């Protein structure tokens, strides 16, 4: 196993850790406060959400095809792109093993959820594992981690453009090139993201992703590029914006600390995220805005996160973070103030070039 890859394993709630004394509570305290049923996935409930999303997506496609009107397409793009994002969240549960306790079912539904929206399931699942194992760690986190001030000053203008200006459409680029300072692709088993034993998982998802690209190419050949734009490309862009927006907001905030070296450990890093209220979108994208509890207990099904959050809030106290701002207020605040962190320091915060 390459030395730079950190295995994702939910820390034992009974293993003592001297560094946990830095917090006034332990992982055991948090778990004990949550009803036991919250940790057990229901296959039928998970399948219900999957088929609900698929049914809504199919219904929107039928309606758009029936109306075939330019006055409806902008509404269709927004709604369908949002449902693509909801379907991604179902696949996200599969990647964490919180969809069911059957690995084969998680992999099956994960592929059915992710491949149609051009996400290589296993490649993404493994890189996301690295993210969860290293959340809040400047040196080893995988996605939406801060660059240092010196790295920021060295970045080419094109890299800054994508990272800081076009960040809401950066996800497809990330799949091929990862984040600044990291190498590898989500499609190739030779990427430093993966272990040798994961070769066939990665190749399977890459093969299915390629078939999906071929299918989209066939549709374009048969019906024209405008057909692809109307029925797939525009909703896909909305989906990418949703994915980038939500993940950016949960990990990019001027009030969230980042850690280096021995000052970091799992529970502290897991608390370096922030919950957001998406209003009417909350149930549509399966309450993924309840992100703090998700990072502490990553194998918890999405439909139990709200219950778990309410249970641990009294214990977390000020360590629990939830934004009181609207989504767009939070986005613009981070967009204009979160560029880099200092080159030194065990606990640091985002800064902007003006400071």
């Amino acid at each position: 196993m390459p030395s730079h890859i950190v295995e994702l394993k939910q820390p034992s709630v009974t293993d003592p850790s001297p560094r946990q004394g830095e917090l006034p509570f332990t992982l055991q305290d948090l778990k004990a406060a949550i009803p036991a049923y919250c940790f057990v996935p229901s296959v039928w409930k998970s399948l219900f959400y999957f088929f609900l999303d698929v049914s809504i997506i199919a219904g929107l496609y039928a309606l758009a095809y029936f109306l075939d009107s330019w006055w409806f397409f902008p509404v269709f793009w927004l709604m369908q792109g949002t449902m693509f994002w909801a379907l991604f969240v179902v696949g996200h549960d599969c990647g964490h093993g919180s969809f069911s306790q059957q690995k084969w079912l998680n992999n099956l539904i994960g592929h059915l959820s992710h491949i149609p929206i051009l996400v290589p399931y296993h490649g993404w699942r493994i890189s996301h594992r690295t993210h969860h194992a290293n959340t809040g760690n400047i040196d080893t986190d995988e996605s939406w981690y801060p660059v240092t001030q010196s790295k920021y000053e060295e970045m080419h203008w094109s890299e800054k453009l994508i990272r800081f200006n076009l960040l809401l459409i950066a996800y497809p680029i990330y799949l091929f090139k990862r984040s600044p300072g990291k190498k590898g692709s989500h499609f190739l088993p030779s990427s430093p993201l993966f272990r040798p034993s994961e070769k066939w998982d990665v190749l399977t998802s890459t093969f299915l992703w390629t078939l999906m690209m071929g299918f989209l190419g066939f549709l374009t050949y048969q019906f024209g590029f405008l057909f692809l734009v109307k029925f797939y490309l525009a909703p896909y862009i909305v989906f990418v914006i949703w994915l980038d927006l939500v993940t950016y907001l949960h990990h990019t905030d001027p009030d969230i600390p980042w850690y280096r070296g021995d000052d970091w450990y799992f529970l502290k890093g897991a608390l370096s995220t922030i919950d957001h209220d998406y209003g009417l979108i909350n149930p549509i994208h399966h309450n993924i805005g309840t992100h703090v509890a998700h990072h502490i207990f990553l194998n918890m099904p999405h439909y139990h996160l709200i219950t778990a959050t309410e249970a641990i809030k009294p214990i977390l106290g000020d360590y629990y973070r939830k934004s009181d701002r609207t989504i767009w207020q939070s986005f613009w605040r981070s967009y204009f103030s979160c560029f880099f962190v200092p080159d030194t320091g065990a606990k640091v915060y985002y800064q902007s070039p003006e400071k």
Side-chain angles (χ1 to χ4, degrees), residues 18-29:
R19 288 181 294 171
Q20 287 193 357
E22 297 179 17
L23 294 174
F25 47 81
T26 66
L27 203 57
Q28 172 66 52
D29 297 331

Side-chain angles (χ1 to χ4, degrees), residues 4-143:
H4 58 276
I5 295 179
V6 179
E7 169 67 20
L8 176 57
K9 180 181 179 182
Q10 182 73 54
S12 169
V13 295
T14 58
D15 289 344
S17 170
R19 288 181 294 171
Q20 287 193 357
E22 297 179 17
L23 294 174
F25 47 81
T26 66
L27 203 57
Q28 172 66 52
D29 297 331
L30 299 177
K31 185 172 184 179
I34 300 173
Y37 70 83
C38 289
F39 297 95
V40 182
S42 164
V43 172
W44 298 114
K45 185 173 290 188
S46 296
L47 286 172
F48 166 78
Y49 285 109
F50 169 71
F51 285 113
L52 176 64
D53 288 352
V54 171
S55 298
I56 295 173
I57 289 171
L60 287 172
Y61 267 129
L63 183 60
Y65 185 80
F66 173 76
L67 294 176
D68 195 18
S69 173
W70 280 107
W71 68 262
F72 178 70
F73 275 114
V75 177
F76 165 72
W77 296 337
L78 180 60
M79 296 175 66
Q80 194 70 298
T82 302
M83 290 310 304
F84 282 4
W85 163 236
L87 189 62
F88 174 90
V89 176
V90 171
H92 167 268
D93 264 21
C94 294
H96 281 298
S98 58
F99 185 89
S100 77
Q101 294 179 327
Q102 288 76 43
K103 184 178 180 180
W104 71 267
L105 183 59
N106 292 333
N107 290 342
L108 173 63
I109 301 300
H111 279 102
L112 291 175
S113 299
H114 279 187
I115 295 300
I117 51 178
L118 296 180
V119 177
Y121 171 70
H122 280 307
W124 168 86
R125 173 184 65 80
I126 295 167
S127 74
H128 195 63
R129 171 193 68 195
T130 305
H131 162 61
H132 269 270
N134 300 276
T135 304
N137 189 316
I138 296 172
D139 301 314
T140 57
D141 202 345
E142 169 61 24
S143 56

Side-chain angles (χ1 to χ4, degrees), residues 26-280:
T26 66
L27 203 57
Q28 172 66 52
D29 297 331
L30 299 177
K31 185 172 184 179
I34 300 173
Y37 70 83
C38 289
F39 297 95
V40 182
S42 164
V43 172
W44 298 114
K45 185 173 290 188
S46 296
L47 286 172
F48 166 78
Y49 285 109
F50 169 71
F51 285 113
L52 176 64
D53 288 352
V54 171
S55 298
I56 295 173
I57 289 171
L60 287 172
Y61 267 129
L63 183 60
Y65 185 80
F66 173 76
L67 294 176
D68 195 18
S69 173
W70 280 107
W71 68 262
F72 178 70
F73 275 114
V75 177
F76 165 72
W77 296 337
L78 180 60
M79 296 175 66
Q80 194 70 298
T82 302
M83 290 310 304
F84 282 4
W85 163 236
L87 189 62
F88 174 90
V89 176
V90 171
H92 167 268
D93 264 21
C94 294
H96 281 298
S98 58
F99 185 89
S100 77
Q101 294 179 327
Q102 288 76 43
K103 184 178 180 180
W104 71 267
L105 183 59
N106 292 333
N107 290 342
L108 173 63
I109 301 300
H111 279 102
L112 291 175
S113 299
H114 279 187
I115 295 300
I117 51 178
L118 296 180
V119 177
Y121 171 70
H122 280 307
W124 168 86
R125 173 184 65 80
I126 295 167
S127 74
H128 195 63
R129 171 193 68 195
T130 305
H131 162 61
H132 269 270
N134 300 276
T135 304
N137 189 316
I138 296 172
D139 301 314
T140 57
D141 202 345
E142 169 61 24
S143 56
W144 294 116
Y145 57 86
V147 298
T148 62
Q149 183 173 358
S150 58
K151 169 63 178 175
Y152 173 82
E153 293 169 353
E154 295 170 358
M155 291 172 71
H156 190 266
W157 68 265
S158 59
E159 196 174 15
K160 287 183 178 179
L161 177 68
I162 296 172
R163 169 86 179 197
F164 301 107
N165 300 112
L166 303 179
L167 55 94
L168 292 185
I169 56 173
Y171 183 69
I173 300 174
Y174 166 71
L175 289 178
F176 284 94
K177 297 191 65 175
R178 296 177 72 191
S179 300
K182 297 186 183 293
K183 297 180 180 180
S185 165
H186 287 74
F187 299 93
L188 301 176
S190 59
S191 170
L193 276 168
F194 312 124
R195 311 183 193 116
S197 61
E198 294 165 335
K199 173 182 177 180
W200 292 109
D201 280 349
V202 176
L203 287 177
T204 297
S205 294
T206 298
F207 174 72
L208 294 173
W209 183 92
T210 303
L211 286 182
M212 183 63 195
M213 288 293 292
F215 175 67
L216 293 175
F218 171 77
L219 291 179
T220 304
Y221 175 77
Q222 286 290 108
F223 303 106
F225 184 68
L226 186 59
F227 177 90
L228 183 72
V229 171
K230 291 193 301 182
F231 289 98
Y232 188 84
L233 188 57
Y236 173 77
I237 292 173
V238 172
F239 152 65
V240 168
I241 291 173
W242 265 120
L243 191 158
D244 281 330
L245 175 66
V246 172
T247 52
Y248 175 82
L249 287 178
H250 287 155
H251 299 285
T252 312
D253 187 282
D255 296 330
I256 290 180
W258 287 81
Y259 303 97
R260 284 189 176 96
D262 291 339
D263 205 50
W264 178 92
Y265 59 92
F266 176 83
L267 183 54
K268 185 189 287 187
L271 294 172
S272 285
T273 185
I274 184 170
D275 283 2
H276 286 278
D277 184 357
Y278 295 86
L280 294 175

Side-chain angles (χ1 to χ4, degrees), residues 325-338:
R325 300 175 177 85
T326 67
I327 295 303
W328 291 112
Q329 285 174 336
S330 296
F331 174 74
W332 289 118
R333 179 173 180 255
S334 296
Y335 182 84
F336 289 111
S337 59
C338 297

